[in-house]
């Protein structure tokens, strides 16, 4: 999530986009935790995460997952977001379709951060990254 300790600014577009995605993931985690622990007077943040959701869905559809394996911070944030989304869906129940929709969106946002961990568990070979 930091600037990855790089002093070479020529390839900034690649890592800046990944860092921006990590910040959106962190913001989604904070909002999801607020919805789980104190849901009063809070709306589901569909509008705030519409663009990141479209980007993640388009990258998944194209098979264009992040070129590098996310670090530990991204993995923890993604895992925490997935667990909080499942907890939020369980707390709200199947009658609240808006909560289920947001939980599905949060799981979609967490998917790129969790895909390397799932691939390691399944024994999938690690792709060559930059």
């Amino acid at each position: 999530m930091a600037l990855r300790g790089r002093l070479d600014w020529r390839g900034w577009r690649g890592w800046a986009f990944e860092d921006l995605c990590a910040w959106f993931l962190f913001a989604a985690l904070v909002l999801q935790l607020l919805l789980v622990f104190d849901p009063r007077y809070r709306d589901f943040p569909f509008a705030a995460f519409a663009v990141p959701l479209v980007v993640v869905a388009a990258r998944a559809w194209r098979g264009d997952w992040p070129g590098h394996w996310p670090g530990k911070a991204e993995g923890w944030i993604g895992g925490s977001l997935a667990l909080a989304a499942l907890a939020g869906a369980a707390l709200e129940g199947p009658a609240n379709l808006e909560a289920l929709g947001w939980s599905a969106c949060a799981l979609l946002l967490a998917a790129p951060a969790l895909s390397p961990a799932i691939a390691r568990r399944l024994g999938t070979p690690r792709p060559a990254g930059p």
Side-chain angles (χ1 to χ4, degrees), residues 104-118:
C105 291
L107 289 172
L108 180 64
L109 281 172
L114 294 178
S115 61
I118 294 170

Side-chain angles (χ1 to χ4, degrees), residues 9-83:
W9 288 89
R10 285 174 283 188
W12 67 272
R13 287 183 187 97
W15 54 264
F17 183 74
E18 300 300 332
D19 286 347
L20 183 62
C21 290
W23 282 109
F24 273 115
L25 191 68
F26 180 73
L29 172 63
V30 169
L31 290 173
Q32 181 63 40
L33 288 174
L34 287 172
L35 286 169
V36 168
F37 291 111
D38 187 23
R40 298 174 297 164
Y41 313 115
R42 299 202 198 287
D43 293 329
F44 295 101
F46 287 113
F49 290 96
V51 172
L53 282 168
V54 169
V55 169
V56 169
R59 289 183 81 179
W61 182 66
R62 291 182 50 210
D64 180 26
W65 288 111
H68 73 285
W69 288 77
K72 289 182 182 181
E74 288 93 348
W76 276 102
I77 293 170
S80 301
L81 178 59
L83 289 175

